[in-house]
């Protein structure tokens, strides 16, 4: 359960129109600063390898760059499943030394990252290769950056805290979700409160990433669904951001199109390598888009649902996304209609109808997709007494880091939380009556 030290925020987030106006002014100014930051400071793109030989190719690059001793970072589940073997077999065939560390846990804490850093320093490796989902890649980024700067991971929390480059970092994502292999940030959880701390630095972007559908094919269907909706949310929030640009629009729209087409296929048949590969690219593109354009209320609220009620990140996004799309619908109807036209999400014969109808249809298709993936919309343990703190923390996240099309007061966030709780209770009721019927 997060600490409740948000009392100073109460002035920023409440339903008093004058104070809400103050919150809006602060939030909009920060959005402009973020835009300037993202366009002035160059952000590296990782070299991208795609396809069934992508793991071999990223290893070849690492070897050609001069690495002779690789620190492989992964987690125990993936290691037990033998996923890193595709990489270690190849390194063996090239006589390259490596040390494999599988101690990364979901939502890694400082303790987990510090332990990984200790092992990496002891191993005297000259490059780091992450094989895993967002948690593994974020932990590897923090290990590589701390090692490169000879500092503790906590010293990197904040914006541009590093003085030197990261250790050479290479990433092989095993899920198509966070797009962390493309982004300049890493999230670490506090060991006690589990509140998330963020480190942002363009030097954190890996040197290269490999999207290998063979590595991804073993992902269970429910994780494919959750992480796939995370991709869709990154792309939609980046698209609706007021800091979106021609460049981020290209990546966001491409990701939305791929998710709508290939996520149902990857969910239905995990062995469909074409669908896995397209989802891997979509996740990467989503990461590039939100790197510059930012996210929005879906992530701000979903992060809190994750911290308070232990809901997996992608699932939390799936629960919140339809409500925020409804909220943004008025301010973003032209943009959503534009997106629908680019991505084939216009109903037959609807192209000449108004933007409002096209935007509504896009939102309905997103709802339909989430429903078709059987994502559980239930949030267990929700309490109205938590809503004040959740709303304040979510509003602060938006004001500090995002450039959203519509700002809402705390009451608006609490309204969304109430709807989620009611839907949850309705769902639990349905389950109980079906249990009885059975
Ligand atoms: Fe996300």
């Amino acid at each position: 359960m997060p600490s409740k030290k948000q009392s100073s925020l109460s002035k920023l987030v409440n339903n008093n129109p004058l104070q809400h106006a103050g919150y809006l002014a602060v939030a909009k100014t920060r959005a402009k600063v973020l835009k300037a930051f993202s366009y002035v400071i160059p952000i590296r793109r990782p070299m991208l390898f795609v396809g069934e030989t992508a793991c071999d190719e990223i290893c070849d690059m690492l070897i050609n760059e001069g690495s002779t001793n690789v620190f492989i970072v992964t987690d125990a589940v993936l290691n037990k499943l033998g996923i890193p073997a595709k990489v270690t077999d190849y390194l063996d065939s090239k006589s390259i030394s490596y040390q494999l560390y599988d101690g990364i846990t979901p939502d890694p804490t400082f303790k987990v990252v510090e332990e990984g850093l200790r092992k990496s320093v002891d191993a005297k490796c000259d490059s780091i290769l992450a094989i895993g989902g967002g948690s593994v890649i974020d932990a590897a980024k923090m290990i590589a950056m701390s090692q490169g700067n000879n500092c503790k991971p906590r010293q990197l929390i904040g914006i541009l805290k590093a003085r030197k480059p990261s250790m050479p970092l290479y990433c092989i994502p095993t899920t198509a979700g966070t797009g962390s292999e493309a982004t300049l940030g890493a999230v670490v959880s506090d060991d006690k409160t589990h509140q998330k701390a963020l480190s942002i630095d363009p030097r954190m972007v890996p040197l290269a990433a490999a999207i290998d559908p063979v590595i991804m094919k073993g992902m269970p269907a429910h994780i494919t669904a959750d992480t796939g909706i995370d991709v869709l949310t990154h792309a939609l929030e980046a698209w609706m951001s007021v800091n979106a640009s021609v460049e981020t629009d290209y990546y966001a729209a491409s990701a939305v199109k791929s998710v709508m087409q290939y996520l149902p296929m990857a969910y239905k048949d995990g062995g469909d390598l074409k669908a896995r590969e397209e989802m891997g690219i979509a996740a990467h593109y989503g990461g590039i888009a939100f790197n510059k354009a930012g996210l929005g209320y879906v992530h701000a609220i979903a992060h809190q649902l994750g911290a308070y009620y232990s809901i997996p990140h992608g699932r939390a996004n799936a629960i919140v996304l339809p409500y925020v799309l409804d909220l943004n619908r008025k301010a973003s109807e032209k943009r959503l209609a534009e997106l629908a036209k680019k991505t084939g999400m216009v109903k037959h014969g609807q192209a000449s109808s108004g933007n409002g109808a096209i935007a509504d249809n896009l939102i309905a298709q997103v709802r339909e997709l989430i429903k078709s993936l059987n994502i559980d919309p239930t949030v267990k343990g929700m309490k109205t007494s938590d809503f004040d703190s959740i709303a304040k923390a979510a509003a602060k996240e938006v004001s500090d880091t995002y450039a959203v099309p519509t700002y809402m007061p705390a009451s608006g966030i609490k309204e969304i939380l109430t709807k989620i709780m009611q839907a949850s209770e309705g769902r639990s009721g349905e389950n109980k009556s079906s249990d009885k019927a059975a």
Side-chain angles (χ1 to χ4, degrees):
M1 178 70 63
S3 68
K4 310 284 194 301
K5 55 174 186 180
Q6 290 127 353
S7 57
S8 62
L9 292 171
S10 56
K11 286 182 186 166
L12 285 178
V13 191
N14 61 53
N15 306 323
N16 177 316
L18 283 177
Q19 288 179 336
H20 183 60
Y23 167 74
L24 279 183
V26 170
K28 286 182 176 177
T29 305
R30 282 189 181 143
K32 283 181 185 155
V33 172
L34 285 169
K35 185 170 189 174
F37 172 81
S38 70
Y39 289 93
V40 168
I41 297 183
I43 302 174
R44 180 176 59 216
R45 294 269 167 74
M47 179 67 201
L48 189 62
F49 301 99
V50 179
E52 292 178 45
T53 58
C55 284
D56 298 354
E57 289 164 38
I58 200 171
C59 289
D60 285 338
M61 176 178 167
L62 173 157
I63 296 164
N64 292 336
E65 293 280 355
S67 180
T68 55
N69 190 16
V70 188
F71 188 64
I72 299 175
V73 180
T74 188
D75 65 41
V77 176
L78 291 170
N79 197 18
K80 207 171 166 189
L81 290 169
I83 301 291
K86 191 173 184 199
V87 172
T88 54
D89 287 353
Y90 190 78
L91 291 176
D92 284 336
S93 75
K94 300 284 175 182
S95 304
I96 296 294
S97 309
Y98 56 85
Q99 300 238 4
L100 193 144
Y101 176 65
D102 71 355
I104 307 302
T105 51
D107 300 320
T109 62
F110 282 104
K111 203 173 155 194
V112 168
V113 173
E114 281 158 11
E115 179 62 12
L117 175 61
R118 238 185 326 271
K119 300 273 185 196
S120 179
V121 171
D122 288 350
K124 295 188 171 58
C125 295
D126 49 24
S127 67
I128 294 179
L129 173 60
I131 305 175
S135 294
V136 166
I137 294 176
D138 276 13
K141 282 175 168 175
M142 291 300 287
I143 292 168
M145 202 62 149
S146 304
Q147 202 166 348
N149 282 271
N150 194 22
C151 70
K152 291 182 177 167
R154 279 182 196 276
Q155 291 171 266
L156 297 173
I157 297 305
I159 298 174
L160 299 176
K161 297 289 182 186
R163 291 174 190 276
K164 294 179 191 168
S166 152
M167 279 270 284
L169 175 66
Y170 302 82
C171 294
I172 301 175
T174 55
T175 58
T178 64
S180 179
E181 78 284 355
T183 67
L184 74 175
V187 179
V188 187
S189 297
D190 186 280
D191 295 277
K192 288 188 183 128
T193 64
H194 292 280
Q195 284 284 49
K196 314 272 185 189
L198 186 61
S199 174
I200 295 177
D201 196 303
R203 284 175 288 194
M204 204 174 259
V205 178
L207 291 179
I211 293 168
D212 184 331
V214 179
I215 286 266
M216 293 177 175
K217 74 176 182 183
M219 204 192 330
H222 70 282
I223 296 179
T224 301
D226 288 354
T227 51
I229 294 298
D230 192 25
V231 177
L232 182 64
T233 310
H234 295 156
L236 285 171
E237 294 209 288
W239 178 269
M240 290 184 290
S241 164
V242 298
N243 284 353
S245 65
V246 173
E247 185 197 13
T248 62
D249 278 358
Y250 164 76
Y251 289 106
S254 301
V256 168
K257 185 166 186 345
S258 292
V259 172
M260 297 307 294
Q261 186 174 350
Y262 292 105
L263 179 55
M265 293 158 77
Y267 174 74
K268 207 169 152 195
D269 175 8
D272 183 334
L273 295 183
K274 166 78 175 160
R276 289 291 192 197
E277 187 174 295
E278 293 291 344
M279 281 304 299
I281 297 168
H284 191 76
Y285 280 8
I288 293 174
F290 85 76
N291 235 359
K292 279 198 168 184
L295 297 166
Y297 276 103
V298 184
H299 271 77
I301 299 171
H303 286 150
Q304 297 307 315
L305 293 182
Y308 275 75
Y309 309 117
S310 303
I311 302 279
H313 176 65
R315 181 141 69 85
N317 280 332
I319 291 168
V320 180
L321 178 59
Y323 298 107
V324 175
L325 284 175
D326 287 343
L327 167 87
N328 288 350
R329 147 81 169 75
K330 202 170 167 206
S332 300
E333 83 173 28
K334 195 166 164 231
R335 288 283 289 156
L336 289 173
E338 192 188 333
L339 179 65
K341 288 173 188 170
K342 278 179 191 291
T343 56
M345 293 175 76
V346 179
K347 251 194 333 202
H348 181 65
Q350 197 191 26
S352 57
S353 58
N355 288 336
I358 297 174
D360 284 343
N361 183 248
L362 178 143
I363 295 171
Q365 287 179 64
V366 169
R367 277 198 156 89
E368 201 46 49
L369 173 67
I370 294 170
K371 202 173 161 202
S372 73
L373 299 170
N374 299 307
I375 295 177
D376 181 3
T378 313
V379 183
K380 290 186 181 70
M382 276 186 105
K383 296 196 297 276
T384 48
S385 55
D386 292 335
F387 288 5
D388 261 335
S389 310
I390 292 176
K392 283 170 187 167
K396 183 175 185 329
E397 183 172 326
V398 168
S399 145
D400 284 354
T401 32
Y402 306 143
V404 295
T406 308
Y407 288 91
M408 61 179 151
S411 59
I413 300 175
K414 286 197 266 185
E415 221 170 274
I416 289 177
L417 293 169
T418 305
K419 284 179 184 167
I420 292 170
M421 191 164 84
Q422 285 168 347
S424 254
E425 286 169 355
R427 176 73 181 221
S428 303
E430 273 174 32
N431 288 345
K432 274 179 200 159
S433 44
S434 62
D435 286 350
K436 274 180 197 165

